[in-house]
């Protein structure tokens, strides 16, 4: 074997196709503007008392928060299905499934503890 040949069969050129897109100032600016808009609108909804029902306001704010999380993942974290062969997106989906299971289970347990363990008003009157 000669010293000039690569014995491992690798090229000297390094390909970084799995790094994902590198954002530009334009990309960061778009992400920033969208983040500001998605923050100002819910603030206006609360301060302006646009909805009469506070539950409606809460659900609308949660919707804006979900959209803002997606904006942050795309424009600032550069997550998409192509980065790292899709493994980062798969890890995100797995994390979301675990969070939903944990939150739903916690709420279910707390509701049933409150329902089964707290004495009713009728029971409180009969206590010494």
């Amino acid at each position: 074997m000669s010293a000039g040949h690569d014995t491992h069969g690798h090229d000297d050129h390094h390909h970084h196709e799995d790094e994902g897109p590198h954002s530009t100032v334009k990309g960061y600016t778009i992400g920033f503007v969208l983040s500001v808009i998605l923050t100002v609108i819910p603030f206006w909804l609360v301060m302006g008392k646009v909805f009469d029902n506070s539950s409606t306001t809460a659900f609308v704010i949660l919707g804006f928060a979900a959209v803002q999380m997606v904006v942050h993942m795309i424009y600032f974290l550069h997550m998409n299905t192509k980065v790292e062969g899709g493994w980062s997106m798969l890890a995100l989906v797995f994390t979301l499934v675990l969070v939903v299971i944990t939150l739903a289970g916690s709420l279910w347990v707390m509701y049933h503890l409150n329902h089964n363990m707290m004495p009713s008003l009728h029971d409180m009157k009969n206590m010494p």
Side-chain angles (χ1 to χ4, degrees), residues 29-39 68 71 75:
T29 304
I30 291 170
F32 176 73
V33 169
L34 287 174
S35 296
V36 168
I37 290 170
L38 291 170
T39 302
Q68 191 168 66
V71 167
Y75 287 100

Side-chain angles (χ1 to χ4, degrees), residues 55-102:
S55 298
T56 306
T57 304
F59 282 117
V60 170
I61 289 173
L62 287 174
F64 276 102
V67 172
Q68 191 168 66
M69 286 178 8
V70 171
V71 167
H72 282 257
M73 286 189 295
I74 292 172
Y75 287 100
F76 299 122
L77 298 177
H78 311 295
M79 290 183 72
N80 60 27
T81 56
K82 296 179 181 107
V83 174
E84 297 177 11
W87 285 106
S88 62
M89 192 62 68
L90 185 64
L92 174 69
V93 170
F94 180 69
T95 302
L96 290 175
V97 167
L98 288 179
V99 167
V100 167
I101 290 171
T102 304

